């Protein structure tokens, strides 16, 4: 363990997460307490709709408390190290959120939305390797071909074979 | 039993048409490919296929899901052997000796052993599925809300305890899953909970979009965020399983099968734990324990028999009690409900044939797995050579289609995204997803059984502790909690030490 002045990152994360769970659990419990008890329908106090969510809120807060206390006392056991690269994580989030929130159901037909997303994702994630190898143009052509084929196959198979409606 | 055999014969006969068999073969192959790809799990395969097969006749749809389930758990052993990466979490134990065998140039033999173990495990599991399920369902007819409440809680708690390295985080995810299931109209009074006036939220979070988010979207984000190296595959020698291995290790196979089925039956425990427990037991009882970790055939056979035996095992409580044995079985259970089956104690009375249909599905899946295991080794490994930067965007598009297909609501796709992003973040801090799934599937049951039980008892909580099975489950739940919370565990250890010392003195 490192010195107390600089606790390991993960331990601090556990402390913050623990506090977060306490807040969330308390909010859930409060929301459950304020929920309609349906007394007008003759529902007994032990069968109100807020009973189980309320108990779960309390449970979550208690588990959060246990976690926060543990993080204060010592390092947590058995947590995996994050191997992610920040730029990749950010790019993945932007692309996926852009696809789901910005493209789907916003005008472009499904095949086009899927094509744009897959093309950008394949191209951008391979960019550093491709640039190093000097095959950017080839990578772009490949990305176009793969995205077009995948988009066409997915659209056709699901619409025509599985009869599924597409977004 | 003759009745059972007749029902099984009828069930098998029902699947012997070309279309059903083609579905079975295709789904098993797809399952194996999903299993081979690290990161794509059996749970994801079943969730996605549930939505894509929603328009098919129920038995064909569930056949596809069972085949994909069996195929995925089996396929994961390929990656474990060749790359030392478990293709699904259930194959982690197979990495230890499987990869060692591959390093020694015996990758093909290792795959043959994995095929042997998987098929043997499946067959043992299917025998138990066919014999135990009707019996358990009969017992379960006497269960009331009190027992069901404890079983639901037990399932979520066990899943949180055994999955991942940190029980506390597992339980937190379980509690979140249980809470997520409370959103929307409650199951007794149809009162809107935590909907904040939003009509979409009032309908509740649909299971499939949440699952696709937790296992698909979150996984895609995780893999995209990591830099993936191109895998280097080991050369593959003959993949034909040897009869000698079966004969030599028959005890290990039987034991691992029994352990696997037991782990499968225990609510929430599942395939991963089955593989590890079988492996540990084999190591402890082996005549050559020093070979474990150095490429032991026995170790690999134990791990792969265990996890495949757990698949039919996990379906036993799902069918008989409505409580899934593992995360993939939870999705399978949800799919059965979507397709009009009613798993739970009443199943044996209302749809007794369905139990045997599921047995037949497992048999067909095992057969397909065996055929692919013996023939299609090299072509299937091509999947591993496709860069992940190509596969993951395609999987994400499939996730979006899958989330949308269930009800044609864009809201469901947003739910998938929200759960996926949250899951991505939480996973990076060591929070497992499986307990969340168990919680989500069991939340409604937990809510209804607790409140119904209280109504039945007139508000007394006594029956929750005094009925025999309830008392047993309550003790197990309390002990599980106690043994995994550090201060309580210290107390327990001191108590155990004191008892030991006292016994030693006597």
């Amino acid at each position: 363990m490192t010195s107390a002045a600089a606790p390991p990152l993960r331990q601090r994360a556990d402390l913050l997460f623990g506090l977060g769970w306490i807040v969330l659990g308390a909010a859930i419990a409060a929301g459950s307490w304020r929920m309609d008890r349906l007394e007008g329908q003759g529902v007994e106090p032990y069968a109100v709709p807020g009973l189980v969510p309320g108990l779960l809120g309390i449970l979550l807060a208690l588990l959060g408390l246990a976690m926060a206390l543990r993080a204060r006392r010592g390092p947590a056991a058995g947590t995996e190290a994050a191997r992610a690269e920040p730029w990749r994580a950010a790019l993945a989030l932007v692309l996926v959120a852009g696809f789901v929130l910005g493209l789907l159901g916003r005008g472009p037909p499904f095949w086009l939305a899927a094509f744009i997303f897959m093309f950008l994702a394949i191209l951008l994630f391979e960019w550093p390797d491709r640039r190093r190898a000097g095959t950017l143009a080839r990578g772009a052509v490949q990305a176009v071909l793969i995205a077009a084929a995948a988009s066409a196959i997915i659209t056709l198979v699901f619409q025509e074979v599985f009869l599924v409606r597409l977004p | 039993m003759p009745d059972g055999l007749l029902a099984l014969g009828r069930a098998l006969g029902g699947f012997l048409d070309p279309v059903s068999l083609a579905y079975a073969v295709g789904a098993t192959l797809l399952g194996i490919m999903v299993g081979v790809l690290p990161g794509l799990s059996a749970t994801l395969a079943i969730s996605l296929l549930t939505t894509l097969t929603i328009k098919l006749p129920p038995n064909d749809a569930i056949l596809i899901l069972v085949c994909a389930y069996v195929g995925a758990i089996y396929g994961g052993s390929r990656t474990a052997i060749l790359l030392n990466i478990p293709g699904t979490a259930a194959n982690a134990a197979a990495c230890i000796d499987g990869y060692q065998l591959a390093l020694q140039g015996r990758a093909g033999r290792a795959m043959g052993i994995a095929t042997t173990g998987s098929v043997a495990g499946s067959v043992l599991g299917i025998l138990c599925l066919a014999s135990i399920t009707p019996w358990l369902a009969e017992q379960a007819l006497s269960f009331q809300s009190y027992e069901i409440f404890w079983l639901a809680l037990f399932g979520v708690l066990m899943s949180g305890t055994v999955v991942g390295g940190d029980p506390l985080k597992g339980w937190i995810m379980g509690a979140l899953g249980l809470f997520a299931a409370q959103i929307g109209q409650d199951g007794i009074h149809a009162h809107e909970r935590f909907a904040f006036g939003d009509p979409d939220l009032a309908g509740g979070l649909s299971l499939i979009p949440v699952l696709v988010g937790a296992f698909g979207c979150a996984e895609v984000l995780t893999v995209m965020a990591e830099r993936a190296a191109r895998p280097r595959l080991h050369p593959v020698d003959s993949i034909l399983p040897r009869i000698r291995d079966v004969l030599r290790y028959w005890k290990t196979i039987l034991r691992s099968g029994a352990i696997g089925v037991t782990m499968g039956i225990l609510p929430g425990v599942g395939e991963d734990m089955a593989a590890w427990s079988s492996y540990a037991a084999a190591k402890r009882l082996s005549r050559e324990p020093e070979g474990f970790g150095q490429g032991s055939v026995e170790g690999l056979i134990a791990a792969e028999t265990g996890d495949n035996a757990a698949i039919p095992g996990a379906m036993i409580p799902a069918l008989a009690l409505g409580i899934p044995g593992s995360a993939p079985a939870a999705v399978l259970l949800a799919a059965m409900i979507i397709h009009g089956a009613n798993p739970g104690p009443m199943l044996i009375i209302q749809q007794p044939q369905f139990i045997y249909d599921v047995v037949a599905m497992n048999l067909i899946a095992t057969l397909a797995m065996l055929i692919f295991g013996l023939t299609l080794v090299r072509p299937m490994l091509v999947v591993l050579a496709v860069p992940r930067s190509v596969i993951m965007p395609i999987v994400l598009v499939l996730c979006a289609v899958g989330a949308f297909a269930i009800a044609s609501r864009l809201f469901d796709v947003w739910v998938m995204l929200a759960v996926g992003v949250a899951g991505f973040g939480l996973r990076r801090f060591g929070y497992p997803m499986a307990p969340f799934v168990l919680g989500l599937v069991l939340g409604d049951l937990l809510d209804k059984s607790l409140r119904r039980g209280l109504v039945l008892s007139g508000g007394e909580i006594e029956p929750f502790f005094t009925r025999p099975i309830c008392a047993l489950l309550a003790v197990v739940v309390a002990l599980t909690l106690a043994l995994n919370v550090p201060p309580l565990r210290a107390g327990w250890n001191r108590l155990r030490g004191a008892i030991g010392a006292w016994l030693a003195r006597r």
Side-chain angles (χ1 to χ4, degrees), chain A residues 82-93 95-96 125, chain B residues 217-228 388-389 392 424-425 427-428:
Chain A
R83 284 161 298 172
E85 295 179 11
W87 75 267
R88 284 180 185 270
L91 179 61
L93 284 172
L95 281 174
V96 171
F125 278 107
Chain B
C217 186
E219 190 62 57
V220 169
L221 288 169
T222 306
V223 175
M224 278 181 169
E226 286 170 7
R227 201 192 135 77
R388 292 205 260 173
S389 53
M392 287 302 153
F424 168 62
R427 279 179 48 150
R428 294 189 62 188

Side-chain angles (χ1 to χ4, degrees), chain A residues 10 14 17 21 28 46-49 52 67 70 79 83 85 110 126 129 158 162-167, chain B residues 52 55 166 169 179 189 191 193 224-227 389 396 398 401 404-405 428 431 447 451 454 458-459:
Chain A
R10 197 148 292 270
D14 272 3
F17 264 108
W21 299 130
I28 292 172
Y46 45 75
V48 294
V52 171
M67 186 173 212
R70 186 183 69 181
T79 43
R83 284 161 298 172
E85 295 179 11
F110 176 79
E126 289 187 345
D129 292 341
F158 291 122
F162 289 111
L163 306 176
V164 169
R165 275 192 58 196
L166 297 174
Chain B
L52 305 179
K55 299 277 169 67
D166 187 348
K169 287 180 179 169
F179 172 71
H189 305 109
H191 181 74
R193 297 190 287 202
M224 278 181 169
E226 286 170 7
R227 201 192 135 77
S389 53
L396 190 101
L398 290 177
V401 174
F404 183 80
R428 294 189 62 188
Y431 289 86
D447 176 39
R451 289 193 287 152
L454 285 172

Side-chain angles (χ1 to χ4, degrees), chain A residues 9-10 13-14 17-18 21 24 27-29 31-32 35-36 38 41 43-44 46-57 59-60 63-64 66-68 70 73 76-86 88-89 92-93 95-97 99-101 104-106 110 114 117-118 121-122 125-126 128-130 132 146 150 154 158 161-167, chain B residues 23 49 51-56 64 153 164-169 171-176 178-179 182 186 188-189 191-194 217 220-222 224-228 230 387 389-390 392-394 396-398 400-401 404-405 408 410 413-414 416-417 421 424-431 443 446-448 450-451 454-460 481 485-487:
Chain A
L9 190 67
R10 197 148 292 270
D14 272 3
F17 264 108
W21 299 130
L24 180 63
I28 292 172
S32 309
M35 200 180 285
D36 195 343
L38 305 178
Q41 295 178 30
V43 172
E44 301 287 349
Y46 45 75
V48 294
L51 176 72
V52 171
L55 291 175
L56 288 173
L59 176 70
L60 188 60
L63 290 172
M67 186 173 212
R70 186 183 69 181
R73 213 174 297 133
T79 43
E80 62 189 48
R83 284 161 298 172
E85 295 179 11
R88 284 180 185 270
L93 284 172
L95 281 174
V96 171
F99 171 57
V100 170
L101 299 175
L104 285 184
R106 301 278 176 208
F110 176 79
F117 167 73
M118 287 188 282
I122 295 172
F125 278 107
E126 289 187 345
D129 292 341
R130 293 265 180 208
R132 221 171 299 130
I146 295 172
I154 292 175
F158 291 122
V161 180
F162 289 111
L163 306 176
V164 169
R165 275 192 58 196
L166 297 174
Chain B
Y23 282 142
L49 282 173
T51 65
L52 305 179
T53 57
I54 203 136
K55 299 277 169 67
L56 293 182
I64 288 177
L153 188 63
D166 187 348
L168 207 47
K169 287 180 179 169
W171 297 339
I172 286 174
M173 291 308 283
L176 284 176
L178 286 170
F179 172 71
Q182 312 299 323
D186 85 296
I188 295 184
H189 305 109
H191 181 74
E192 272 178 27
R193 297 190 287 202
F194 300 97
C217 186
V220 169
L221 288 169
T222 306
M224 278 181 169
E226 286 170 7
R227 201 192 135 77
R230 290 258 176 144
S389 53
V390 170
M392 287 302 153
I394 298 176
L396 190 101
V397 171
L398 290 177
V401 174
F404 183 80
S408 301
L410 267 181
V413 188
W414 301 336
M416 178 210 77
L417 177 71
V421 171
F424 168 62
L426 285 170
R427 279 179 48 150
R428 294 189 62 188
F429 290 96
Y431 289 86
L446 182 97
D447 176 39
K448 281 196 283 198
L450 176 65
R451 289 193 287 152
L454 285 172
V455 170
L456 283 174
S457 68
E460 295 293 324
L481 282 172
V485 175

